[in-house]
């Protein structure tokens, strides 16, 4: 069965972006960019919502470092506001419920999927129990006064079993987990 990976970049305090800061908070380093250039999960279909599509396709068009591999990847954009044709190469628009569509892709498809950004989409897919792996890359900055888009707002309680970790450029942390959505707080023994 195809895998679904949620993939986030975040500040240490859990924001996806910050007002006035550049992409990756200006802290991307050569080791991290090389890893992106190796295109981990390059054969996965990238899932995103309309807002992320607009932002990332603009970054790609402007030549933002690290966005080059995304241009050639298959992309599915879940939106009821965007219209085809989508300008970013290899992007397909899906206007129906994302959880239903992804459940069908996992059941009948053969290609694994990953998200990029898309906080609302990721939350819906996690709540629906469709996520197999959860990856977060943490940049060494706290954006308490300028942070936008708190990533975990509205999330259910989730237990995370770590399966991988890595440090890039001596400062950027990548953590990978298998998530288990909980019905509420659990005792340490049950995790």
């Amino acid at each position: 069965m195809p895998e679904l990976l949620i993939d986030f970049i975040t500040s240490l305090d859990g924001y996806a972006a910050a007002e006035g800061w550049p992409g990756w908070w200006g802290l991307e380093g050569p080791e991290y960019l090389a890893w992106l250039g190796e295109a981990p999960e390059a054969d996965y279909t990238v899932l995103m919502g309309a807002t992320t599509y607009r932002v990332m396709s603009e970054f790609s068009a402007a030549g933002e470092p690290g966005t080059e591999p995304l241009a050639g990847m298959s992309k599915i954009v879940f939106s009821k506001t965007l219209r085809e044709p989508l300008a970013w190469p290899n992007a397909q628009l899906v206007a129906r419920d994302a959880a239903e569509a992804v459940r069908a892709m996992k059941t009948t498809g053969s290609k694994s999927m990953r998200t990029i950004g898309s906080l609302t989409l990721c939350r819906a897919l996690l709540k629906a129990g469709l996520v197999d792996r959860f990856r977060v890359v943490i940049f060494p900055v706290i954006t308490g006064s300028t942070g936008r888009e708190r990533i975990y707002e509205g999330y259910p309680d989730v237990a995370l079993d770590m399966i991988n970790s890595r440090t890039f450029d001596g400062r950027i942390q990548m953590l990978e987990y298998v998530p288990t959505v909980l019905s509420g707080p659990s005792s340490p023994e049950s995790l």
Side-chain angles (χ1 to χ4, degrees), residues 11-92:
S11 62
L12 182 62
D13 54 342
Y15 287 100
E19 193 67 40
W21 290 75
W24 294 308
W25 296 272
L27 298 171
E28 73 279 4
E31 189 178 355
Y32 179 67
L33 291 175
W35 177 74
L36 286 176
E38 293 167 8
E41 295 91 27
D43 58 338
Y44 282 33
T45 297
V46 177
L47 309 178
M48 67 186 79
T51 300
T52 299
Y53 170 80
R54 288 180 188 105
V55 169
M56 294 306 295
S57 64
E58 287 174 16
F59 280 164
S60 180
E64 181 83 23
T67 61
E68 299 86 4
L70 286 170
M73 296 175 80
S74 296
K75 295 171 281 299
I76 294 179
V77 182
F78 294 98
S79 173
K80 293 180 179 160
T81 60
L82 292 174
R83 299 289 174 248
E84 289 193 311
L86 298 177
W88 206 5
N90 304 309
Q92 174 189 350

Side-chain angles (χ1 to χ4, degrees), residues 1-4 100-111 113 129-132:
M1 179 179 281
E3 172 189 51
L4 173 58
E100 288 176 14
V102 170
R103 185 173 283 109
M105 288 187 278
K106 286 185 76 168
T107 302
T108 61
S110 60
K111 195 168 183 182
M113 299 158 279
L130 296 170
V131 179
D132 301 294

